[in-house]
């Protein structure tokens, strides 16, 4: 029994294809709806699963072609994040057989497929699990420098196996140990979900993150892109909470915050905490924003601000987060930038053993903050001068 699945996001299609193939169905997938029409003619499926919101040819246009142009009665299931009542109603009026709203478990999708077209003659036993097909697709950049002893490979693999819609990009920042070999081993067999971006020379965390973010921004099927520390001091579940916030709001950046609060597991060394408070006071003065914590290594961005935040090299190697927020305020203006930014407390943050930022490094940060204040003050002045010339 043959199933054709069409969605502009490959990260949605791949786990769906895998599950249906495991159940015994023959499955073809396509991310371009126009090409999907050609595939429909050649493949002659017993069932079509189609998304609604796709560039170019929409899912409803695809349905119209099958029902009205071809006058075919092939069963059609819609799998979409579009929950508008008029869209759903139009779909059923055109002759779809089922409408499934993302997010939705693979277990339920499989059950609906079986109900609609039956089970294959040769059935396979597949273990039920809680894997969900998500509405959005997310890229996560993980900078890595000499992480051979600290990289939690099993946790990363387990997470992407259970949570669809995630693509991890590990950036090897010129590691001198076996980090690169470990990353390629981690990627093997999961190339559609894991990218290894190799920088031959060590350029520092700021440049590793910047290059990784710009690389992931080229992937058309990603809705949001963020970065996360390799030691998982912020875990992936907390990161997913940041994603849920940005997808259900108008924020352009959601930044994790290590604010101590009731019910949260936030641990810091006492000395580091005192230094952090001092640095944070200086940062708030520079940004003119009431940030509690700019330096948490967990942030998620809307794709349309990636070039603004990461297009140019950063002035500093460690506190590039401050530069990101400064760039936003220069580009959009302070008031508008504040409305685009969200600081979200984490449920868990653990100071990981082997952290590469020493107390001596923390003192150096004060000097780097002075450098940021000077450089971006000049940029802001230049930007205002340009605006005045354009008005004149």
């Amino acid at each position: 029994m043959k199933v054709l699945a069409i969605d502009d996001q490959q990260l949605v299609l791949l786990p769906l294809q895998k599950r249906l193939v495991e159940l015994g169905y023959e499955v073809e997938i396509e991310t371009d709806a126009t090409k999907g029409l050609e595939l429909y003619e050649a493949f002659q499926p017993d069932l079509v699963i189609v998304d609604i919101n796709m560039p170019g040819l929409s899912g409803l246009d695809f349905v119209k072609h099958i029902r009205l142009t071809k006058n075919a009665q092939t069963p059609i299931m819609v799998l979409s994040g579009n929950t508008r009542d008029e869209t759903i109603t139009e779909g059923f009026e055109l002759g779809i057989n089922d409408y499934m709203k993302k997010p939705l478990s693979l277990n339920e999708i499989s059950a609906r497929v079986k109900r609609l077209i039956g089970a294959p003659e040769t059935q396979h036993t597949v273990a039920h699990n809680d894997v969900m097909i998500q509405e959005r697709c997310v890229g996560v950049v993980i900078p890595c420098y000499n992480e051979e002893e600290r990289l939690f490979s099993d946790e990363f693999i387990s997470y992407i196996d259970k949570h669809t819609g995630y693509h991890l990009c590990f950036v090897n920042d010129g590691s001198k140990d076996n980090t690169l070999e470990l990353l390629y081993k981690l990627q093997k067999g999961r190339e559609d979900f894991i990218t290894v971006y190799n920088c031959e020379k060590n350029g520092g965390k700021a440049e590793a993150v910047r290059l990784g973010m710009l690389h992931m921004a080229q992937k058309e099927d990603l809705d949001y892109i963020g970065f996360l520390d390799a030691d998982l001091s912020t875990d992936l579940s907390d990161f997913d909470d940041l994603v849920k916030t940005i997808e259900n709001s108008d924020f352009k950046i959601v930044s994790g915050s290590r604010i101590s609060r009731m019910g949260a597991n936030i641990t810091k060394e006492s000395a580091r905490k005192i230094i952090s408070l001092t640095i944070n006071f200086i940062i708030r003065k520079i940004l003119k924003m009431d940030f509690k914590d700019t330096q948490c290594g967990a942030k998620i961005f809307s794709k349309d601000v990636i070039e603004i935040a990461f297009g140019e090299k950063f002035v500093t190697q460690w506190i590039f987060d401050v530069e990101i927020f400064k760039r936003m305020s220069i580009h959009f203006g302070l008031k508008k930038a504040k409305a685009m930014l969200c600081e979200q407390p984490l449920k868990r943050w653990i100071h990981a053993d082997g952290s590469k930022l020493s107390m001596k490094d923390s003192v150096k940060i004060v000097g780097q903050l002075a450098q940021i204040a000077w450089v971006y003050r000049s940029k802001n002045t230049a930007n205002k001068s340009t605006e005045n010339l354009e008005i004149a």
Side-chain angles (χ1 to χ4, degrees):
M1 304 183 76
K2 298 188 289 186
V3 178
L4 171 61
I6 303 168
D7 193 302
D8 60 321
Q9 295 179 308
Q10 190 180 42
L11 290 175
V12 169
L13 292 173
L14 290 171
L16 176 62
Q17 181 185 40
K18 180 182 178 184
R19 171 60 67 87
L20 293 179
V21 167
E22 288 175 345
L23 289 170
Y25 296 97
E26 183 180 350
V27 184
E28 291 284 348
I29 59 175
E30 179 55 63
T31 56
D32 185 316
T34 302
K35 292 180 180 178
L37 288 176
E38 299 173 5
L39 188 55
Y40 173 79
E41 298 294 337
F43 189 49
Q44 293 292 302
D46 299 296
L47 172 67
V48 173
I49 301 176
V50 65
D51 186 21
I52 290 293
N53 299 330
M54 296 184 287
L57 191 72
S58 73
L60 289 180
D61 290 332
F62 191 94
V63 174
K64 288 176 185 176
H65 178 82
I66 294 177
R67 290 289 185 259
L68 304 180
T69 305
K70 301 297 295 183
N71 196 28
Q73 296 306 309
T74 308
I76 301 173
M77 300 173 69
V78 170
L79 175 60
S80 176
N82 190 323
T83 58
R84 295 175 59 195
D85 184 65
E86 56 267 39
T87 301
I88 298 172
T89 301
E90 184 180 358
F92 280 109
E93 288 176 346
L94 286 170
I96 66 170
N97 301 86
D98 201 354
Y99 199 107
M100 302 177 288
K101 300 176 185 178
K102 302 174 186 174
L104 190 71
S105 73
L106 282 175
N107 293 335
E108 183 174 343
I109 295 173
S110 301
R112 288 174 181 249
V113 169
K114 287 182 180 179
R115 179 187 61 81
L116 196 56
I117 63 171
E121 291 183 8
T122 304
Q123 295 188 50
H124 300 230
T125 302
V126 178
H128 282 231
N129 51 47
D130 56 356
V131 176
M132 301 291 290
I133 293 292
Q134 298 291 345
E135 182 179 352
R136 51 17 182 207
C137 292
V138 183
V140 187
V141 173
I142 301 119
C144 301
Y145 177 67
N146 292 347
E147 298 288 355
E148 181 183 3
E149 300 297 327
R150 299 201 311 165
L151 193 69
F152 295 98
S153 303
D154 291 342
E155 290 189 34
F156 283 114
I157 290 173
S158 175
Y159 197 82
I160 62 170
D161 283 349
K162 291 181 179 178
H163 297 78
T164 67
Y166 270 92
H167 188 117
L168 307 183
C169 175
F170 292 92
V171 181
N172 177 51
D173 186 23
S175 298
K176 295 178 175 59
D177 61 2
N178 293 320
T179 295
L180 183 59
E181 290 77 7
L182 178 63
L183 294 179
Y184 282 132
K185 182 179 179 182
L186 182 65
Q187 180 193 37
K188 190 174 182 180
R190 297 177 177 84
E191 289 79 6
D192 292 314
F193 305 98
I194 296 177
T195 292
V196 176
Y197 187 101
N198 183 37
C199 302
E200 293 186 3
K201 294 182 179 179
N202 175 246
K205 181 180 178 180
E207 185 63 2
V209 169
R210 191 182 78 88
L211 292 174
M213 293 292 287
L214 292 175
H215 177 72
M216 293 299 280
Q218 297 174 26
K219 294 185 178 296
E220 294 182 357
D221 63 339
L222 297 180
D223 299 302
Y224 309 102
I225 306 171
F227 58 86
L228 188 66
D229 289 336
D231 59 18
L232 288 179
S233 50
T234 300
D235 66 19
L236 286 157
S237 295
D238 246 358
F239 187 85
D240 195 59
D241 286 342
L242 302 184
V243 175
K244 289 173 183 174
T245 297
I246 200 169
E247 71 173 326
N248 293 307
S249 69
D250 294 324
F251 295 124
K252 295 297 184 181
I253 303 175
V254 178
S255 178
S257 179
R258 299 160 293 184
I259 301 170
S260 296
R261 60 186 178 86
M262 188 177 295
N265 182 14
I266 309 292
T267 67
K268 288 185 184 180
E269 298 169 342
S270 58
R272 285 174 66 94
K273 189 173 182 179
I274 294 170
I275 292 286
S276 295
L277 289 172
T278 304
I279 290 172
N280 180 254
F281 175 78
I282 300 170
I283 289 173
R284 286 159 68 182
K285 292 297 182 184
I286 292 173
L287 291 177
K288 298 178 182 176
M289 297 180 185
D290 192 27
F291 261 104
K292 299 294 187 295
D293 178 17
T294 59
Q295 299 311 111
C296 177
K299 292 177 175 63
I300 187 73
F301 298 74
S302 178
K303 249 181 123 173
D304 56 357
V305 298
I306 298 296
E307 183 60 32
I308 296 166
F310 297 94
E312 296 182 9
K313 274 195 169 187
F314 293 111
V315 175
T316 59
Q317 197 174 53
W318 293 322
I319 47 176
F320 62 95
D321 312 70
V322 178
E323 295 189 57
I324 290 172
F325 299 133
K326 197 65 182 175
R327 289 175 180 185
M328 291 289 289
S329 65
I330 291 174
H331 185 88
F332 293 104
L334 183 59
K335 184 178 180 180
K336 191 173 180 180
K338 283 182 177 180
M340 293 179 171
L341 307 177
C342 173
E343 186 177 20
Q344 179 167 310
L346 301 171
K347 294 187 181 75
R348 170 193 175 273
W349 186 85
I350 305 296
H351 170 66
D353 292 335
S355 173
K356 299 178 180 61
L357 191 63
S358 66
M359 295 295 291
K360 184 178 179 181
D361 292 331
S362 297
V363 175
K364 289 180 181 178
I365 286 177
V366 176
Q368 292 189 19
L369 285 172
Q371 188 180 7
I372 288 175
W374 174 258
V375 170
Y376 284 91
R377 182 180 179 182
S378 301
K379 287 179 180 288
N380 198 25
T381 302
N383 189 53
K384 287 181 179 178
S385 298
T386 302
E387 289 176 357
N388 291 333
L389 285 173
E390 288 175 352
I391 293 171

